[in-house]
Amino acid sequence: MLAACDVQAQEGKWGLGGFVNYTLPLKKLGDRYDNTVKYGTTLNYVSSDAVTLEIEYHYSKFDDGKLAAKPFFYAVDNKSYTSPNAKSTLTFNSLAVNALLFLGEDNQSHGFKAKDYRYYLAVGGGFYRYNAVNENFVAPYQTTKPIDFTLVMEPQIDKRTTLAGNVGVGLEAFVTDNLALDVRGRYNFVLGELRPMLFYGNTDRARPLQLFDLGVGLKLYFWR
């Protein structure tokens, strides 16, 4: 265990961080989008030797959604087509408050010295603002032959600010006494939904939105 004076010295310490995540959509959301990169920043506060609180902002965008490449069946000529100019995107802007819990006395004693490391459990929640757009999809309910590829449906937009939670595990490894490398994996649960696209592969509604992150970041701690 850290000496009492060392523990007291770390409490109240602040830090700034930045990270990059590999983000994988799960379940129904994974049927619509492939993986992407998530970028973010954190403001950290050491409330005790066992708990660090952080405010986190992150941004991510899923381009080239799978729906844009899905075919639709055109009943007039009994053929299947794809939309040549279709786009399917999903953007997240998020703000969360997380607690990093360094469990166990031995684990709490490591840190704030070069080459020290600490394992932690991460639990948090906050607000996710998502904006999903499907546009330039050819209207499949036409009645003429041949099909008119310039006749497209109105854009389908699902936009909402909603609650979300996350849980995961991580490792904080100190490069110097105040510079740490942070590696973590987290499951994210977003209370939102994306409407179905019935003509295009009969894609089901996605609810809730679930994602898994695997990321790495740097955190610079400084005295209060």
Side-chain angles (χ1 to χ4, degrees):
M1 189 72 177
L2 284 173
C5 60
D6 292 334
V7 173
Q8 186 176 7
Q10 306 306 331
E11 292 179 0
K13 201 170 187 178
W14 291 84
L16 292 174
F19 63 84
V20 178
N21 280 346
Y22 172 90
T23 300
L24 180 67
L26 305 175
K27 303 291 185 176
K28 297 296 184 180
L29 190 61
D31 293 338
R32 295 172 178 246
Y33 300 99
D34 288 317
N35 61 280
T36 191
V37 178
K38 179 170 78 175
Y39 305 93
T41 185
T42 60
L43 174 65
N44 306 273
Y45 175 73
V46 181
S47 61
S48 72
D49 62 326
V51 179
T52 295
L53 302 176
E54 68 176 22
I55 299 175
E56 171 193 358
Y57 166 78
H58 77 247
Y59 168 86
S60 60
K61 184 175 182 180
F62 295 85
D63 287 313
D64 303 320
K66 299 175 183 178
L67 292 182
K70 283 187 175 291
F72 65 92
F73 179 75
Y74 191 47
V76 175
D77 60 11
N78 293 318
K79 294 182 180 180
S80 293
Y81 299 93
T82 57
S83 300
N85 299 313
K87 293 182 179 180
S88 181
T89 61
L90 172 62
T91 303
F92 283 108
N93 283 277
S94 309
L95 186 65
V97 177
N98 306 314
L100 310 185
L101 309 175
F102 301 93
L103 306 177
E105 290 188 0
D106 291 339
N107 191 28
Q108 296 167 23
S109 66
H110 295 283
F112 298 99
K113 290 183 180 179
K115 299 183 180 180
D116 273 359
Y117 60 90
R118 307 191 296 172
Y119 298 101
Y120 63 83
L121 173 66
V123 180
F127 295 94
Y128 272 52
R129 180 166 180 79
Y130 64 86
N131 185 19
V133 180
N134 295 314
E135 58 184 345
N136 295 328
F137 282 75
V138 175
Y141 41 75
Q142 301 177 41
T143 58
T144 61
K145 188 177 180 179
I147 189 171
D148 182 0
F149 287 98
T150 66
L151 182 60
V152 297
M153 298 188 295
E154 289 291 324
Q156 177 178 299
I157 301 175
D158 292 308
K159 180 188 298 186
R160 186 180 179 188
T161 299
T162 186
L163 295 173
N166 69 80
V167 62
V169 294
L171 169 69
E172 186 180 52
F174 285 82
V175 181
T176 67
D177 291 354
N178 63 343
L179 180 64
L181 180 69
D182 190 308
V183 180
R184 67 179 70 173
R186 289 187 296 177
Y187 165 76
N188 302 273
F189 183 93
V190 184
L191 297 177
E193 70 173 65
L194 304 181
R195 288 174 290 170
M197 288 282 286
L198 298 180
F199 293 110
Y200 286 81
N202 290 324
T203 305
D204 293 335
R205 175 177 59 179
R207 186 182 69 174
L209 309 182
Q210 302 178 68
L211 309 100
F212 177 77
D213 298 333
L214 184 60
V216 61
L218 283 175
K219 296 191 293 188
L220 178 64
Y221 288 98
F222 48 90
W223 294 110
R224 55 184 179 274

